[in-house]
Amino acid sequence: MLAIDMIWDPSKGLDLGFFTLHYYSVMWIVAFLLGLQIMKRIYKHEGQSNESLDSLFIYAVVGIMLGARLGHVIFYQSELITEDFFSIFLPFKFKGGFEFTGFMGLASHGAAIAMIISMYLYNKKVLKKTVLWILDRVVVPVASGAVFVRLGNFINSEIIGKPTGSDFGVTFKQLGEDFARHPAQLYEAISYIFVFLALWYFYWKTKKSEQEGFLFGLFLVLLWTVRFFVEFVKEAQNPERADWLLNTGQLLSIPLILVGLYFMFVYKPKTKVS
């Protein structure tokens, strides 16, 4: 359990002299490497080659990182397009002086959309099964990766929760504050552990992996339902929309939940997966 009035003031990274290795970046690296190991086990079980796994890793890394970054810019920080365009694609900021920042400002909704697109391209170019076949399997490591991404956000004192109005919560000293907030990042990270375990169970212990689209749909429903409810205790990332009944993150989560329900309970494949 979280301690009452927990003071959180970690360093943001390791100072290597010529640049700082941010712990947030380390969490992304851990997420991808762990995901690779999980997918390696799944591919071995499915009789897929190591060459196709190597290609999958490349498509996943490039697609998810690019989509997450573009998603953040489009949904939350569109001013970068005109004010600091090259910082969108490079781990540097140029406005106000050149500075190495790492890849900061990544949106999970953009990552989800990019994952679907990159897996479509991967399937078309390499796997040649169906896009849902690969999506049903890749969501297992993606769910585990989401845990580490949110831990990285917690280390960075970003995507913070609303004030608790009590002594319970976390005081983010890096923000210059002296009051407790909801550790929304940890709420999500812990919830995503259970999302991963559910997907792992349904893949390995049931025959749901044979129902095309089910695991992909389950992933969408569980992950974005978590995101929807955690948003109620999270500070709005887009202040201009903070007064809406539902914030940007919740509005973007609803269609993904509906798509997930469709694939779980309505979708019927036209042909049997070979």
Side-chain angles (χ1 to χ4, degrees), residues 84-159:
D84 200 0
F85 180 78
F86 291 104
S87 70
I88 297 174
F89 304 100
L90 299 174
F92 306 98
K93 80 175 185 68
F94 300 90
K95 183 181 179 181
F98 180 81
E99 180 185 345
F100 177 82
T101 60
F103 287 103
M104 302 178 67
L106 304 170
S108 52
H109 292 92
I113 295 170
M115 180 189 74
I116 295 172
I117 295 173
S118 61
M119 289 306 98
Y120 168 80
L121 295 174
Y122 165 75
N123 180 70
K124 185 176 181 179
K125 299 287 186 179
V126 180
L127 195 63
K128 303 186 186 304
K129 282 182 172 286
T130 68
V131 67
L132 282 175
W133 187 94
I134 183 59
L135 287 173
D136 280 336
R137 286 148 183 83
V138 80
V139 292
V140 181
V142 167
S144 71
V147 176
F148 293 95
V149 171
R150 283 297 178 251
L151 289 177
N153 294 139
F154 181 68
I155 293 172
N156 266 8
S157 298
E158 61 187 8
I159 311 184

Side-chain angles (χ1 to χ4, degrees), residues 165-224:
S166 69
D167 289 333
F168 177 82
V170 175
T171 299
F172 293 94
K173 297 297 290 185
Q174 292 179 353
L175 303 180
E177 299 177 346
D178 59 0
F179 56 88
R181 291 181 177 274
H182 285 283
Q185 316 96 321
L186 296 185
Y187 295 165
E188 282 193 68
I190 293 169
S191 298
Y192 293 158
I193 292 174
F194 291 100
V195 174
F196 165 71
L197 292 175
L199 291 167
W200 182 269
Y201 172 80
F202 277 103
Y203 177 78
W204 289 105
K205 301 298 183 181
T206 74
K207 293 186 179 296
K208 284 299 184 180
S209 63
E210 299 175 9
Q211 181 182 331
E212 189 173 84
F214 180 86
L215 291 177
F216 174 58
L218 179 63
F219 166 81
L220 292 179
V221 170
L222 293 180
L223 187 134
W224 298 112

Side-chain angles (χ1 to χ4, degrees), residues 64-84:
I64 291 175
M65 291 299 292
L66 183 59
R69 183 60 179 150
L70 289 175
H72 173 81
V73 172
I74 293 170
F75 299 133
Y76 301 107
Q77 203 176 1
S78 58
E79 66 272 11
L80 285 180
I81 297 174
T82 56
E83 295 179 1
D84 200 0

